[in-house]
Amino acid sequence: MIKISGIPFKQNEKWQLGSIEKTIIQQMQNTSIVYSYNSQNELLFELKVRKNIIQSAKVMDKSQAVFTTFAYARCNPKYWQLTKTGGFLLRSDVQPGDAIMDIFRNSSMYAFECATAIPIIYYHAILFSIGEESFNSLFQNLYLYSWHTDTDLGIVTFNSTHFLPGDVLYVNNPDFDRKTPWFRGLNVVILEDGKLFGHGFNIRTAEEIIQILNEKRGPDSHKSAYITKLVTRPSFKYLYRAANFSLTDRTSKIQRPIVHHNKNSISYAHYLYYSL
């Protein structure tokens, strides 16, 4: 169920939505969970970001960036400094948006782990959602390493049996072979058709991904890999507001998201906004 300012949502016929956005709205409406928004624009922004997350995942799927462990990570030194731990630290002489775009433009120069792939997809999607100027203001000190993300991304993770296209799920492999610990699990983006993208696994059905992970289990293992109830997404509401403020205004008027978990409503994240 979708509510705008507490009122049940009715789609505006003037909206020119694509098939992905329509699929997301339909799935939101066909659940008892309440997706609450302050305005129609806030809802439209989330739909745009979710669509772009899906599109960014598809672009990464076709890229030449390869899956590897942190020990063998690599990046383009023109835009990033490779840290000892296998992270990518933004160079001080380049713009954040340019550096993120380079990962996709010169993908053959990059290798990273699946947990790092998700923030890269998020940043790429948000860049296309809010524009270069706002992106460069929000994300001036990018560091790509596993699930390390800028606080302005507002990543939230919670347990749920309901998820939407553009969400990220975790596939756990409890009996992974200790000789290949990188197959202990996989972070995947849900696409509009229900298929999943996982870096190093490409776009596959859930059954196909589970089958591949099951082949990476230890000897005499009988515990199958499975999709957990962990759902991860960026803070769409915070990003919507932050993208509409200049850097000076944002630091004085918007407080970063404070996350609370609520099993009965998607309003599990309550954001505090105030003016000084």
Side-chain angles (χ1 to χ4, degrees), residues 227-238:
I227 297 178
T228 71
K229 295 181 180 179
L230 287 177
V231 181
T232 301
R233 59 180 61 144
S235 172
F236 301 108
K237 291 185 179 182
Y238 174 74

Side-chain angles (χ1 to χ4, degrees), residues 66-77 80-89 108-114 116 120 143-146 199:
V66 300
F67 171 85
T68 192
T69 60
F70 294 114
Y72 299 99
R74 66 174 187 266
C75 56
N76 186 348
W80 307 93
Q81 298 176 31
L82 181 64
T83 66
K84 293 181 179 180
T85 57
F88 307 160
L89 181 63
S108 62
M109 301 182 70
Y110 291 85
F112 41 82
E113 202 257 8
C114 77
T116 304
I120 291 173
Y143 178 51
L144 305 176
Y145 176 71
S146 188
H199 180 52

Side-chain angles (χ1 to χ4, degrees), residues 163-202:
F163 34 80
L164 298 169
D167 281 340
V168 170
L169 303 180
Y170 183 69
V171 187
N172 188 35
N173 191 17
D175 280 352
F176 66 93
D177 191 333
R178 267 52 182 177
K179 295 179 182 178
T180 55
W182 47 89
F183 289 119
R184 70 174 63 238
L186 180 69
N187 297 285
V188 294
V189 178
I190 308 172
L191 307 184
E192 75 278 10
D193 59 0
K195 289 185 178 180
L196 308 172
F197 167 74
H199 180 52
F201 284 63
N202 301 112

